[in-house]
Amino acid sequence: MTVRIGYAPTRRSIFSAPDAVKYRKIIADRLRELDVEFVDIDDINEEGLLFDEGDRLRIVEKFRAEGVDGLFLPHCNFGTEFVCARLAKDLNVPVLLWGPLDERPEADGTRLRDTQCGLFATGKVLRRFQVPFTYMTNCRVDDPVFARGVRDFVAVCNVVKTFRAARILQIGPRPYEFYSTMYNEGELIEKFNIEVVPVPLPELTRGVKAAKAFTPRVSSGSGTGTTSMLNFSMSSPSLYMVE
């Protein structure tokens, strides 16, 4: 199953914009080396960076249209924490926070990025927005921890994507003694939009017997034919034969 990541590197205006643009490209190149499929925001503004509320709205629209399964928010400098949190809240997909290691301050005391502090700020705002996220420790893009963290995040996105698309077939009720297999069907659909589709055992038994007694018809001559199988309708839980 293909997983697509929304790549939204962020910066803040009081730090170096040119250096943030440089790191945006460095990170994107590393993601390509790792064979990560991602959707960037290079067409949203000249810098390809997230820092403006108007741009955020266009990014939401683009990422939804592209069907991203996760959101990567690398802080190319301090980052704009409230815009990051709003984007994450709207998309409702797994979120990964990371930033490169900070360099030492310049001789006059200025700093290029102050990424670590920005990550603390974004993490705090995400918690206020009740958005779960994964934090990957600051490192260089060629460090093993970066590759491992990104791959782990892609795996998480794959699990969430599969989970959200699930529909559960329940065959008969649980045995009385099996208290350990209780579940809340209402909570599944309320929290995760996952439906449980029940089929009674007598109905399943009738369907299986009908399938065993049925003789498939295969046409001759052209090499194509018709086969028959047992089908289960998820919209209307009943078993029936199709040819």
Side-chain angles (χ1 to χ4, degrees), residues 134-196:
T134 297
Y135 167 74
M136 184 166 61
T137 186
N138 293 57
C139 62
R140 298 176 177 86
V141 295
D142 55 355
D143 288 343
V145 66
F146 182 86
R148 183 172 63 249
V150 168
R151 289 183 175 127
D152 286 349
F153 179 67
V154 171
V156 168
C157 293
N158 190 33
V159 171
V160 172
K161 178 179 183 178
T162 304
F163 178 79
R164 288 179 170 174
R167 299 183 78 189
I168 299 172
L169 175 63
Q170 177 189 333
I171 300 176
R174 68 172 177 85
Y176 168 72
E177 297 87 353
F178 283 68
Y179 279 62
S180 59
T181 61
M182 286 181 176
Y183 69 94
N184 189 328
E185 179 181 349
E187 195 171 11
L188 280 172
I189 197 166
E190 290 165 5
K191 285 189 174 182
F192 307 111
N193 198 34
I194 292 179
E195 297 179 44
V196 177

Side-chain angles (χ1 to χ4, degrees), residues 7-28 41-42 45-51 74-80 98 100 103 111-115:
Y7 175 57
T10 181
R11 73 164 178 88
R12 203 177 192 93
S13 58
I14 61 174
F15 295 92
S16 172
D19 196 71
V21 172
K22 180 186 77 173
Y23 258 90
R24 178 211 69 195
K25 183 179 185 305
I26 290 172
I27 299 164
I41 58 172
D42 291 357
N45 56 47
E46 293 182 356
E47 299 177 14
L49 294 168
L50 170 65
F51 57 88
H75 284 46
C76 296
N77 60 36
F78 190 96
T80 308
W98 171 83
E103 296 84 0
R111 292 168 293 179
L112 280 175
R113 63 188 78 258
D114 201 10
T115 296

Side-chain angles (χ1 to χ4, degrees), residues 1-5 35-39 66-70 154 157-159 161-162:
M1 182 179 291
T2 302
V3 173
R4 309 186 78 189
I5 303 299
D35 293 325
V36 175
E37 184 170 333
F38 65 91
V39 180
E66 295 285 350
V68 300
D69 305 302
V154 171
C157 293
N158 190 33
V159 171
K161 178 179 183 178
T162 304

Side-chain angles (χ1 to χ4, degrees), residues 81-102:
E81 68 271 18
F82 72 93
V83 178
C84 290
R86 288 175 178 171
L87 177 62
K89 185 73 171 182
D90 284 347
L91 289 175
N92 189 31
V93 293
V95 176
L96 177 63
L97 290 187
W98 171 83
L101 290 170
D102 291 318

